[in-house]
Amino acid sequence: MTKPVAREPQRRNARSNRARILATARRELGRNPDTTLEELARAAGVVRRTLFGHFPGRAALLEALAEEASEALRDAMADAVGPGEPADRALAHFTLLMWPVGDRYRMLLALARHDLGVERVAEILAPARAEVTAILERGRRDGAFPAHLPPAVLSAGLEAMVVALLEQVNTGALEDDGTRAAVAILIAAGVPEGRARTVVEGVSPAVLARSAPVD
């Protein structure tokens, strides 16, 4: 009769261990993509058997991180503005929303080529790519962005720029809460610098207030 009651603390402990391992993996793999599972287990304060009980191998751990990143991206996108918002403000808003997610999971970008595979990363990023492309299409129609590149092509270029900025955060060369990145993205999209700064200054307080840091 007491067994079901006894199992619940075990399940809670297992969930706690899993969450701690994933948080440790985000941190340690961000510092060194070649960190081994044994090193991650020590950093997480669990024995090797516990880690392997949750994640039988490196691929399973990275897939769990990929799914966690995908869910975080979907959650952040739920706060994206509607089509009634001016396109330049919408792009700034979206960049600020995505920055904490990208900052938290930037190690996945470093692992994409030889671990996750570019197709899996592309699958995770597909909703964000589609949203940015739609904003750029609308902005080009409204005159907010120049028509110097097709929206999908420009979207890919802006994504590469965000990746490059996140890599600079990873090396310690850049500190940013997303506002500097948002200004840079607007300028790259064709918005004059003065207008870009004004737009980000108008959008950032509300977005940053909702985007509390997550570890």
Side-chain angles (χ1 to χ4, degrees):
M1 293 294 293
T2 59
K3 287 184 178 180
V5 177
R7 287 196 193 100
E8 182 54 33
Q10 293 174 354
R11 285 195 291 265
R12 285 200 299 268
N13 187 54
R15 289 194 295 268
S16 175
N17 283 339
R18 187 179 190 276
R20 186 162 66 252
I21 291 167
L22 287 173
T24 301
R26 287 196 306 270
R27 183 183 69 245
E28 298 301 322
L29 290 173
R31 294 172 180 168
N32 177 17
D34 295 321
T35 300
T36 66
L37 295 184
E38 288 77 9
E39 290 169 335
L40 287 177
R42 287 196 296 271
V46 299
V47 297
R48 184 175 182 273
R49 185 173 66 180
T50 297
L51 187 147
F52 278 88
H54 289 283
F55 308 107
R58 183 179 176 88
L61 175 62
L62 293 178
E63 179 55 35
L65 286 170
E67 184 53 40
E68 191 181 64
S70 182
E71 182 177 352
L73 183 63
R74 291 192 298 268
D75 289 345
M77 287 186 64
D79 287 329
V81 296
E85 186 77 0
D88 52 1
R89 286 179 59 88
L91 184 57
H93 187 107
F94 192 78
T95 303
L96 289 164
L97 282 177
M98 294 299 106
W99 186 258
V101 180
D103 186 42
R104 190 182 188 200
Y105 294 100
R106 61 182 183 266
M107 47 70 189
L108 288 175
L109 303 173
L111 297 169
R113 293 182 183 87
H114 56 82
D115 282 293
L116 285 174
V118 292
E119 290 184 358
R120 181 66 175 113
V121 175
E123 180 184 350
I124 295 170
L125 296 177
R129 289 173 173 172
E131 179 69 17
V132 171
T133 300
I135 292 172
L136 293 173
E137 288 174 344
R138 177 160 58 86
R140 187 166 71 167
R141 290 194 303 269
D142 297 343
F145 306 128
H148 57 300
L149 287 172
V153 174
L154 182 55
S155 177
L158 297 179
E159 179 186 306
M161 185 175 180
V162 170
V163 171
L165 292 175
L166 286 169
E167 287 175 348
Q168 293 307 302
V169 171
N170 204 32
T171 64
L174 175 66
E175 290 186 9
D176 189 17
D177 60 0
T179 54
R180 298 170 74 182
V183 170
I185 289 298
L186 286 182
I187 293 172
V191 178
E193 181 181 357
R195 169 65 182 170
R197 294 188 182 280
T198 298
V199 167
V200 173
E201 287 171 2
V203 170
S204 60
V207 178
L208 296 178
R210 293 199 304 271
S211 302
V214 183
D215 187 26

